[in-house]
Amino acid sequence: MNKIKELFAIQYPIIQGGMIWASGWKLASAVSNAGGLGLIGSGSMYPDVLREHIQKCKKATDKPFGVNIPMLYPNLEEIIQIIIEEGIKIVFTSAGNPKTYTKYLKEQGITVVHVVSSLKFALKAQEAGVDAVVAEGFEAGGHNGRDETTTLALIPMVKEKIDVPLIAAGGIATGEAMYAVMALGADGVQVGSRFVASDEASSHLDFKKMVVDAKEGDTHLTLKELAPVRMLKNKFYQEVMGLYAKGPTVEELKELLGRARAKRGMFEGDLEEGELEIGQVSGLIHDIKPAARIVEDMIEEFRSCKKRMEQVSI
């Protein structure tokens, strides 16, 4: 039995990333209905909006789904309370100390998973008592690790040292990539960027089209002094690079970033001034399609790859 399928009571060990401005109830319910685990991304939601998305997701699926909580956001206590009140049974935490809420959430009967970018933090998450760990390589989009450890290197290093189930993330958009990371020891995968280019993602259509048009080298990890973020190269990115050329202070970087840059780009569709967060694997994403089709394609690709590898001899 696959550990991730067993842990979440799902058909396939595919988890949809709880991404800001993309992962609303429509996407989460579609992925869950397709046999994966859908996640609502609470990072871009006020508490009352999160409650609305949870309630709509409950009506749209009778399958398990969860909520992703970036722990650096405000209203954290209120968000935790809503999750408990609404009876959510699966929570993915990220961007913070897993010790803060893991014990409390587990006491409420909630399965807790923490997202990490290094072996050091994977061990801390395990020590905090999480039920599973997502190890995310720096290929991933959005906020990321400072060490720039790739998924290919990170997964076996984490697998060697932890005992809890391991979910791989970062650069995974195909069944072949899923096969590769599971061969390295992952029990399942978390997929973000591929689901951005889905019909159900709440991100702006113009942003989705830009993801589909992206080529190798069109993303870059930057703003490490604030919170490292991988984004598409656009006018705002060029302004960031221009500021770096002058040796900016942290305050100058914060001033340039301002507020709601990600919302402006990914949700409102300002492709020039917005922060457009996406992973390196965007260079492999060539179409926008239903989330269920994405899941189906990944499983078919995984099985085809498995058969092909069984014929390989060395």
Side-chain angles (χ1 to χ4, degrees), residues 21 90 98 117 135 146 155 160 177 202 215 232 259 276 290-291 300 314:
W21 305 117
I90 300 168
S117 59
R146 286 181 167 81
I155 297 306
E160 188 178 49
S202 51
K215 304 291 188 295
L232 285 165
R259 288 180 57 82
L276 307 174
E300 186 178 329
I314 55 173

Side-chain angles (χ1 to χ4, degrees), residues 116-122 136-139 143-151 153-154 157 221 224 227-230:
V116 301
S117 59
S118 69
L119 172 59
K120 178 176 78 172
F121 289 118
E136 184 176 76
F138 103 115
E139 299 97 320
H143 291 291
N144 214 312
R146 286 181 167 81
D147 294 333
E148 300 194 8
T149 307
T150 65
T151 304
L154 182 61
M157 285 195 288
L221 186 69
K224 287 188 177 183
V229 61
R230 179 176 297 283

Side-chain angles (χ1 to χ4, degrees), residues 3 119 154-166 184-187:
K3 291 179 182 178
L119 172 59
L154 182 61
I155 297 306
M157 285 195 288
V158 173
K159 180 66 176 180
E160 188 178 49
K161 298 292 184 182
I162 69 168
D163 301 314
V164 297
L166 173 60
L184 290 171
D187 300 294

Side-chain angles (χ1 to χ4, degrees), residues 32-300:
S32 289
N33 284 333
L37 180 70
L39 295 180
I40 294 172
S42 73
S44 51
M45 299 177 183
Y46 290 114
D48 58 331
V49 175
L50 173 61
R51 191 187 293 276
E52 179 186 344
H53 276 259
I54 291 172
Q55 291 176 352
K56 286 183 175 178
C57 201
K58 286 178 185 175
K59 291 177 182 176
T61 183
D62 59 358
K63 303 289 198 302
F65 71 92
V67 175
N68 178 74
I69 308 173
M71 299 175 74
L72 51 74
Y73 285 85
N75 304 319
L76 192 55
E77 289 184 14
E78 194 175 350
I79 285 169
I80 295 286
Q81 198 55 42
I82 287 170
I83 282 168
I84 292 167
E85 288 170 7
E86 292 295 332
I88 293 296
K89 293 302 179 188
I90 300 168
V91 166
F92 279 52
T93 56
S94 59
N97 186 346
K99 287 186 177 179
T100 310
Y101 278 106
T102 295
K103 184 173 182 290
Y104 177 67
L105 289 169
K106 285 174 69 69
E107 286 171 353
Q108 312 303 314
I110 296 171
T111 298
V112 182
V113 182
H114 193 65
V115 182
V116 301
S117 59
S118 69
L119 172 59
K120 178 176 78 172
F121 289 118
L123 290 169
K124 286 181 181 293
Q126 178 172 264
E127 184 184 339
V130 300
D131 296 287
V133 164
V134 176
E136 184 176 76
F138 103 115
E139 299 97 320
H143 291 291
N144 214 312
R146 286 181 167 81
D147 294 333
E148 300 194 8
T149 307
T150 65
T151 304
L152 196 69
L154 182 61
I155 297 306
M157 285 195 288
V158 173
K159 180 66 176 180
E160 188 178 49
K161 298 292 184 182
I162 69 168
D163 301 314
V164 297
L166 173 60
I167 300 163
I172 302 165
T174 64
E176 290 88 350
M178 180 178 172
Y179 183 92
V181 293
M182 291 182 78
L184 290 171
D187 300 294
V189 295
Q190 179 169 283
V191 178
S193 297
R194 174 63 269 198
F195 284 117
V196 167
S198 69
D199 292 335
E200 296 87 352
S202 51
S203 38
H204 198 282
L205 181 59
D206 288 346
F207 173 50
K208 295 179 188 181
K209 288 177 178 176
M210 194 169 179
V211 170
V212 168
D213 291 339
K215 304 291 188 295
E216 179 191 5
D218 282 355
T219 72
H220 185 226
L221 186 69
T222 186
L223 293 174
K224 287 188 177 183
E225 295 83 354
L226 306 181
V229 61
R230 179 176 297 283
M231 56 182 162
L232 285 165
K233 296 175 181 177
N234 63 349
K235 182 173 179 289
F236 167 62
Y237 167 81
Q238 297 302 336
E239 290 172 359
V240 172
M241 291 301 100
L243 190 56
Y244 269 115
K246 300 174 184 176
T249 64
V250 170
E251 288 306 314
E252 286 172 329
L253 288 169
K254 283 182 179 177
E255 185 180 349
L256 175 60
L257 180 61
R259 288 180 57 82
R261 279 276 187 185
K263 179 183 180 182
R264 190 170 172 182
M266 295 187 285
F267 191 68
E268 297 175 352
D270 187 339
L271 304 184
E272 293 297 317
E273 299 293 344
E275 181 183 296
L276 307 174
E277 301 177 12
I278 204 72
Q280 285 183 330
V281 80
S282 53
L284 275 178
I285 298 169
H286 307 308
D287 53 8
I288 300 166
K289 56 190 176 186
R293 180 70 187 279
I294 292 170
V295 174
E296 289 166 12
D297 287 350
M298 286 190 68
I299 295 303
E300 186 178 329

